[in-house]
Amino acid sequence: SALAFFVALERPFPLWSFVRFPPHMAYLLPHLNDGWSVDQAIVNEEEKLVLIRFGHDHDETCMQVDDTLADVAEKVKNFCVIFLVDTTEVPDFNKMYELYDPCSMMFFHRNKHIMVDLGTGNNNKINWALTDRQELIDIIETVYRGARKGRGLIVGAQGLLDQVSLLSVRVCTPSAAATAAAIV
């Protein structure tokens, strides 16, 4: 077997060059494998925003989201930590957060759930494949700024075809959002 190892090293192409990695990047991001870990991630982070992707690593939508999250993780590491949670392995939050979609992203700051209004009607989470890296960075930055100021609801405008557009983002409190909705 040692001889086979040395023979393999003399091949024109390394053996590992033929190994194909999965198209998703879930293996690059930290996973939380039980309810206690999820609670601790939310409770113990004092300064940064906590983004948790609930779903399955094998789901197509989650693969797209995981790829985007892995790409932006390095850029937002100073103000946001990103975790992945398998909803089958950790079913503790499925009912509490209504995690019935294949993939959902939720934001937390200082042990508080931060709601994001992007015009879809569901303010608790983002439940579609957000694949535009710059839009995701903009959303994370906006949510962080609002959460740092103590806001519980971050309001943004929805663009065409369910794409998020943060051209006119305003951060407001839940009572101000209700007032704005009553005016419109």
Side-chain angles (χ1 to χ4, degrees):
S1 67
L3 181 60
F5 176 74
F6 288 111
V7 170
L9 288 177
E10 294 182 6
R11 292 183 184 175
F13 298 104
L15 182 62
W16 57 86
S17 68
F18 299 104
V19 175
R20 302 199 83 166
F21 290 102
H24 61 289
M25 302 292 180
Y27 61 90
L28 294 175
L29 298 167
H31 286 68
L32 302 174
N33 298 319
D34 55 30
W36 186 82
S37 299
V38 175
D39 281 338
Q40 292 304 305
I42 294 169
V43 170
N44 289 335
E45 186 55 58
E46 294 292 326
E47 295 301 318
K48 295 181 183 179
L49 186 69
V50 177
L51 187 156
I52 300 180
R53 190 275 291 152
F54 293 97
H56 303 286
D57 291 345
H58 57 81
D59 182 73
E60 183 69 31
T61 305
C62 284
M63 287 183 197
Q64 294 172 357
V65 170
D66 292 348
D67 184 35
T68 308
L69 288 172
D71 286 346
V72 304
E74 185 65 26
K75 295 174 182 152
V76 300
K77 70 179 180 182
N78 292 333
F79 55 90
C80 180
V81 291
I82 300 171
F83 296 104
L84 308 181
V85 176
D86 188 308
T87 53
T88 302
E89 189 177 327
V90 186
D92 307 356
F93 302 97
N94 292 354
K95 198 171 201 174
M96 181 189 323
Y97 294 131
E98 299 175 357
L99 300 173
Y100 308 120
D101 301 305
C103 185
S104 300
M105 288 188 291
M106 298 182 73
F107 299 94
F108 301 89
H109 187 261
R110 293 184 179 161
N111 196 22
K112 183 178 177 186
H113 175 223
I114 305 299
M115 296 188 295
V116 182
D117 183 1
L118 298 171
T120 62
N122 186 354
N123 297 345
N124 294 320
K125 57 191 174 272
I126 297 174
N127 57 358
W128 67 89
L130 186 57
T131 56
D132 188 314
R133 285 146 180 78
Q134 189 56 50
E135 280 183 330
L136 182 58
I137 291 170
D138 292 343
I139 290 172
I140 293 171
E141 285 178 358
T142 305
V143 172
Y144 174 70
R145 284 190 196 119
R148 200 176 61 188
K149 293 177 183 176
R151 309 301 197 263
L153 175 66
I154 313 302
V155 180
Q158 180 190 8
L160 299 173
L161 302 173
D162 290 331
Q163 294 295 320
V164 180
S165 172
L166 293 174
L167 298 176
S168 59
V169 174
R170 58 192 171 100
V171 178
C172 64
T173 61
S175 60
T179 306
I183 293 171
V184 176

